[in-house]
Amino acid sequence: MSEAMAPGTFVEVGHYQLCKHGQGAPGDMFLSEKNDDTGRIITVLSDGLGSGIKAGVLSTLTATMALKFVAADIPIKRAAEIIMNTLPVDKDRGISYATFTLVDIAPNSSVRIMEYDNPGYVLIRSNVIVEPIKDFAPIERKNKKTGPVREAILSYSEYGARPGDRLIFFSDGVTQSGMGTKAAPLGWGDTAVHDFILEKIAESPEISARDLAKKIVMQANLHDAFEAKDDITCGVVYFRHPRDLLIITGPPVNPDRDAELGRIFQAFPGKKVLCGGTTANILSRELGRPVSIVLKNVDPVIPPISVMEGADLVTEGIITLGRVAELLADGAEYGKSRILDSERENGASMLVHLLLDSDRITFVVGTQINAAHQDPNMPMELEIRRNVIKRIEQLLTDNYLKEVSVTYM
């Protein structure tokens, strides 16, 4: 019986991935989608047989079909049959070219999970592993030429999620990492992986979905001596209370509303960011708190950050926000799991980290025109603040499943 999701519970989906050493493209695919009409969240991890581009094409096909079929309310077993009879089969081993784990989360907290040949998922509740009750069903082989030679068994389970639950699933690049070494001749293994997950949660009870996934993947990579012997992918779904973030940028069009900006800042219950020197000066004046620039580890492109009591981050305005939009767009196109791996620490990367670690993001955008941004000698990519915010809002909503609201003043 599914339980109603407690009010104010947020579903955080995160993942991390490494390619097999020497490969330029991943053979695993992780997709996640939120349906605005129904509120359902559907997540798929598919592992293509082998590695590289060929494996990646087939895992992408598998993940895309699974996500679209389930989103269209095709019965989950029927969807699996279509997928299994569409994919080609390895002629030597007689197995399909891609495995998958599909997670379907309804707004009432009902979670359905369909698995084929991936390592079993891990459900953690109250810091202990809960053994799921699974049903197993054979997949009917309709096409003798493309269907699986051996019987394909689909695992299906359903449960009602509770606040604090974590659902972790991964490709066999995790469980088989270190295989052949003295430390783990048979690979890391399910039991050791489970123990590692519990240990990391105990060390950091509020660890985000993405950070937990990254720790699991990086530990597997360590077992492979930092030369991954297979694609390593981990997905995490975390049911928890939402994390709120306020971003104030730009002065109000009417200076009489400066005091209101201060009240908004003071009353907000979550983390707070100020973007723009003028914005920071307004809050500094209204709240009587000094702003100090930080000149350590200055970035050659992104202006330095500042500090002010009560603010979790104070950055420059339009250049920093423009870079934030670029990072979010790159992550959406080339892989959300490694969005910040190649970016040095600066105001933009610090803001992106806060955005990724938050669930409900509130922008308060001043609409007073900054004369500096109208200079024709300024770079063309220096977009007006409102356009950058609209781009960030769309990226966060469409690609990162965030709840975003924007207020102009």
Side-chain angles (χ1 to χ4, degrees):
M1 179 69 70
S2 298
E3 301 171 304
M5 181 67 74
T9 299
F10 188 85
V11 180
E12 178 194 6
V13 179
H15 83 286
Y16 199 81
Q17 180 180 71
L18 289 177
C19 297
K20 179 180 179 180
H21 181 70
Q23 294 288 348
D28 296 347
M29 174 54 62
F30 184 96
L31 295 177
S32 190
E33 176 180 279
K34 182 176 183 179
N35 188 304
D36 292 332
D37 295 330
T38 65
R40 289 165 66 193
I41 295 174
I42 305 170
T43 295
V44 188
L45 167 59
S46 178
D47 180 356
L49 187 66
S51 59
I53 294 175
K54 182 179 178 180
V57 169
L58 291 162
S59 65
T60 300
L61 175 64
T62 301
T64 302
M65 285 194 296
L67 191 147
K68 297 303 180 185
F69 289 161
V70 174
D73 286 325
I74 294 176
I76 204 162
K77 185 173 183 292
R78 174 61 179 149
E81 288 176 348
I82 296 172
I83 293 169
M84 296 303 299
N85 283 283
T86 299
L87 292 174
V89 172
D90 180 83
K91 62 182 180 181
D92 297 322
R93 285 177 279 183
I95 58 177
S96 291
Y97 269 110
T99 67
F100 58 86
T101 300
L102 184 145
V103 180
D104 181 17
I105 306 167
N108 70 348
S109 84
S110 175
V111 181
R112 301 188 303 163
I113 303 173
M114 180 171 67
E115 301 172 285
Y116 170 66
D117 263 11
N118 271 343
Y121 69 85
V122 183
L123 172 60
I124 295 180
R125 176 174 292 167
S126 301
N127 298 322
V128 298
I129 294 177
V130 178
E131 290 294 334
I133 299 174
K134 297 184 179 183
D135 293 325
F136 297 90
I139 299 300
E140 184 178 356
R141 180 186 175 195
K142 295 183 179 296
N143 188 324
K144 301 299 182 182
K145 293 183 178 179
T146 63
V149 174
R150 66 176 175 82
E151 186 177 48
I153 302 297
L154 178 74
S155 165
Y156 176 83
S157 53
E158 182 175 356
Y159 69 94
R162 301 176 185 175
D165 282 1
R166 283 183 172 90
L167 175 65
I168 302 106
F169 48 103
F170 33 79
S171 62
D172 59 10
V174 171
T175 51
Q176 294 180 8
S177 63
M179 184 175 290
T181 64
K182 289 184 178 180
L186 300 179
W188 194 4
D190 291 327
T191 301
V193 173
H194 297 178
D195 290 343
F196 178 83
I197 293 170
L198 290 173
E199 177 186 325
K200 293 305 152 185
I201 293 174
E203 291 175 358
S204 181
E206 300 299 322
I207 188 171
S208 70
R210 178 183 180 274
D211 287 345
L212 179 58
K214 182 175 182 179
K215 286 184 180 294
I216 294 167
V217 169
M218 297 309 293
Q219 184 68 20
N221 194 37
L222 172 63
H223 295 153
D224 284 340
F226 301 103
E227 293 187 355
K229 295 180 175 62
D230 193 3
D231 298 286
I232 307 174
T233 307
C234 178
V236 177
V237 181
Y238 185 15
F239 297 83
R240 54 168 173 71
H241 297 297
R243 296 170 180 163
D244 293 301
L245 176 67
L246 171 68
I247 300 175
I248 300 178
T249 180
V253 66
N254 186 344
D256 292 341
R257 301 189 70 181
D258 288 357
E260 181 183 350
L261 207 63
R263 289 193 293 272
I264 292 172
F265 181 89
Q266 286 281 72
F268 192 78
K271 293 187 176 182
K272 308 167 193 177
V273 176
L274 304 179
C275 291
T278 304
T279 306
N281 288 333
I282 290 173
L283 271 297
S284 175
R285 183 187 68 238
E286 294 296 328
L287 302 176
R289 302 175 185 176
V291 177
S292 303
I293 193 167
V294 178
L295 294 177
K296 291 193 305 181
N297 303 319
V298 175
D299 188 282
V301 177
I302 305 301
I305 64 170
S306 300
V307 293
M308 187 188 84
E309 180 188 348
D312 294 274
L313 180 64
V314 180
T315 74
E316 178 272 342
I318 193 65
I319 296 175
T320 300
L321 288 171
R323 181 57 182 158
V324 166
E326 291 175 357
L327 287 169
L328 292 173
D330 288 348
E333 183 173 359
Y334 300 112
K336 288 178 282 189
S337 70
R338 305 185 68 183
I339 183 172
L340 292 175
D341 283 2
S342 60
E343 182 78 1
R344 63 182 296 169
E345 185 175 271
N346 54 45
S349 65
M350 294 168 74
L351 180 50
V352 168
H353 185 82
L354 284 171
L355 290 168
L356 295 178
D357 203 35
S358 301
D359 311 310
R360 300 185 302 202
I361 300 159
T362 301
F363 285 92
V364 176
V365 184
T367 56
Q368 187 179 119
I369 298 296
N370 188 333
H373 298 160
Q374 308 307 307
D375 184 345
N377 295 319
M378 297 293 281
M380 289 296 293
E381 65 270 16
L382 205 60
E383 301 172 54
I384 298 174
R385 181 187 299 110
R386 281 173 291 185
N387 291 336
V388 178
I389 295 299
K390 287 179 182 178
R391 187 181 179 206
I392 292 173
E393 177 189 10
Q394 183 177 13
L395 287 164
L396 290 172
T397 302
D398 295 346
N399 297 299
Y400 297 87
L401 309 184
K402 306 296 184 181
E403 297 179 14
V404 183
S405 63
V406 182
T407 300
Y408 294 97
M409 62 185 300

